[in-house]
Amino acid sequence: MTDAQYVASRRPLWCGVAALFTDGRGRVVLEDVDYRPTCLLPGGGIDTGEAPSQAIAREVHEELGLTRRFSSVLAVDWIPPGTPGYPPGFPGEAIYVFDGGTLTEDDLAHVRLPGREITGVRRIEPALLPRHMDPANARRALAALRARINGAAPAILEDGRPLAPTPLDDLQVLRTPRKPQLWRWHTSHPVPVELPVRQAWGWLFADDGRVLVLIGQDTGFACLPGGTVEPADHGDPARTLRREAWEEARVRISDAHFLGYLHDETGGRPCARARYAAQITGWQPPRRDEATGQTYTRLLATPEQAAELFDWGDETADQLAAVHTAREKLGLPAPIPRPLTELPPGQLSEGSAAR
């Protein structure tokens, strides 16, 4: 076969690019377009001879008026021939999903739309992407977002489905809308007497500096261990945390250190939601939480990875600073970013720590 015959024999393939942008609350930035009823991530086709990183920079500038450089790919997806929504003869397409990072409010204020094709921009809670995108595009966006949180190699997808699913994929994390927790963060201690402490949550550290995050197996909903202060706790939120850590996650913890509180106001009644830090000292296999009926999968994450699973808004950075200060006081190392892993299901005796 000659070179010309070989080139002619290769089946044509489309190649495209997309950018995953989020705002300061972790909502995904989508475009409204005039040529289909559903939304898309910013992006488009790669021109002949154009590198993918050049293509996405060009598309983002053309569609949003933003000048960006892109160097990190979150996912590569294969869209098979015959996929609905494509013209007859569609040969299939490979799409590179680049990490666009976080767009600040100032960035979003400087978005300039072209005179055609792109008619608007919206910010969507990750769990609600399937309401705004077609199913394959929503799967791709969520897989890319989970890959960003994992912080490892790009996810390899076929029709939006990972070939090597991570725990975040298996649990379908972010399929349930997050509850906004946009309360003001305070580090003063003690909590003012006029603010009853309604809940106590904990940053529970393994010995590698990572923290425990609980994922509801039925919902994919993420939470920190903790819960509502009950009469049996005798007004001691630290005792609440110790009890809830055992009931929800079957983990034992060291003495809890107060980090701060969130000032909430529910039904016109001010209250505090306290946050503590402690070290995991032992655990047993998980079981169903009698209070909620939920069984949790226990994942270890860096504090930054954990925060990406929540909707805390502008208060996130100050909370993370308090968490790392507590970690240093506990004598624990700065965690190395890596994919989230499950706490081993077996039993560990009191006095040992997670690895």
Side-chain angles (χ1 to χ4, degrees):
M1 184 181 294
T2 66
D3 288 346
Q5 290 171 328
Y6 175 73
V7 170
S9 70
R10 295 294 298 267
R11 186 174 181 177
L13 173 70
W14 292 10
C15 286
V17 289
L20 181 78
F21 291 108
T22 51
D23 69 0
R25 293 177 53 188
R27 296 174 296 186
V28 178
V29 176
L30 299 182
E31 295 177 342
D32 294 301
V33 297
D34 62 11
Y35 51 88
R36 65 166 62 195
T38 53
C39 298
L40 297 171
L41 293 175
I46 299 176
D47 291 342
T48 302
E50 188 177 35
S53 60
Q54 294 174 328
I56 190 57
R58 172 182 54 77
E59 289 285 351
V60 167
H61 188 263
E62 291 175 356
E63 295 179 349
L64 300 179
L66 299 177
T67 300
R68 290 288 190 278
R69 294 183 63 183
F70 296 85
S71 59
S72 176
V73 173
L74 297 174
V76 179
D77 193 11
W78 161 246
I79 303 175
T83 296
Y86 288 85
F90 169 62
E93 183 174 19
I95 294 186
Y96 298 80
V97 183
F98 283 84
D99 188 358
T102 300
L103 293 180
T104 66
E105 292 301 314
D106 185 64
D107 292 330
L108 290 161
H110 284 85
V111 166
R112 297 294 180 268
L113 303 182
R116 58 184 180 84
E117 293 188 353
I118 314 303
T119 60
V121 171
R122 61 180 74 187
R123 294 179 263 179
I124 302 300
E125 170 66 23
L128 303 183
L129 290 175
R131 299 184 186 181
H132 299 267
M133 310 177 79
D134 70 36
N137 286 343
R139 287 195 300 269
R140 182 185 314 123
L142 282 168
L145 185 56
R146 293 172 185 140
R148 179 205 272 184
I149 295 169
N150 263 318
I156 306 302
L157 315 176
E158 291 184 356
D159 199 23
R161 299 180 175 89
L163 294 184
T166 69
L168 294 182
D169 297 310
D170 287 334
L171 292 163
Q172 297 183 43
V173 172
L174 298 175
R175 63 185 149 116
T176 298
R178 303 166 303 158
K179 295 179 181 178
Q181 299 174 0
L182 309 178
W183 308 309
R184 291 295 305 274
W185 170 250
H186 302 268
T187 55
S188 57
H189 187 267
V191 177
V193 294
E194 66 271 17
L195 284 180
V197 178
R198 177 170 296 174
Q199 288 185 320
W201 298 323
W203 293 88
L204 307 186
F205 287 95
D207 65 357
D208 63 2
R210 292 188 294 169
V211 295
L212 186 66
V213 179
L214 305 182
I215 308 295
Q217 294 178 1
D218 296 337
T219 63
F221 187 79
C223 63
L224 294 176
T228 301
V229 178
E230 298 180 357
D233 302 322
H234 303 290
D236 183 359
R239 188 169 179 172
T240 298
L241 175 60
R242 182 179 294 274
R243 173 181 55 77
E244 289 283 357
W246 180 250
E247 292 175 358
E248 290 181 336
R250 309 301 285 183
V251 300
R252 301 293 189 188
I253 61 174
S254 66
D255 290 340
H257 301 270
F258 181 81
L259 296 184
Y261 68 93
L262 295 156
H263 188 161
D264 184 18
E265 187 167 329
T266 303
R269 293 185 174 183
C271 68
R273 302 179 187 269
R275 291 244 166 107
Y276 292 84
Q279 188 168 2
I280 298 171
T281 59
W283 68 89
Q284 291 185 1
R287 64 175 62 173
R288 186 171 67 92
D289 180 10
E290 295 297 333
T292 64
Q294 183 67 253
T295 300
Y296 294 101
T297 294
R298 306 170 299 184
L299 298 182
L300 294 175
T302 67
E304 285 73 20
Q305 287 172 317
E308 289 192 71
L309 299 173
F310 308 120
D311 183 3
W312 292 345
D314 295 338
E315 305 299 308
T316 303
D318 288 341
Q319 291 188 56
L320 289 176
V323 171
H324 283 293
T325 297
R327 173 186 55 75
E328 293 170 357
K329 289 181 177 178
L330 288 169
L332 297 172
I336 299 172
R338 53 174 159 158
L340 280 69
T341 56
E342 190 169 351
L343 191 71
Q347 180 174 351
L348 192 70
S349 62
E350 189 84 15
S352 300
R355 290 187 181 275

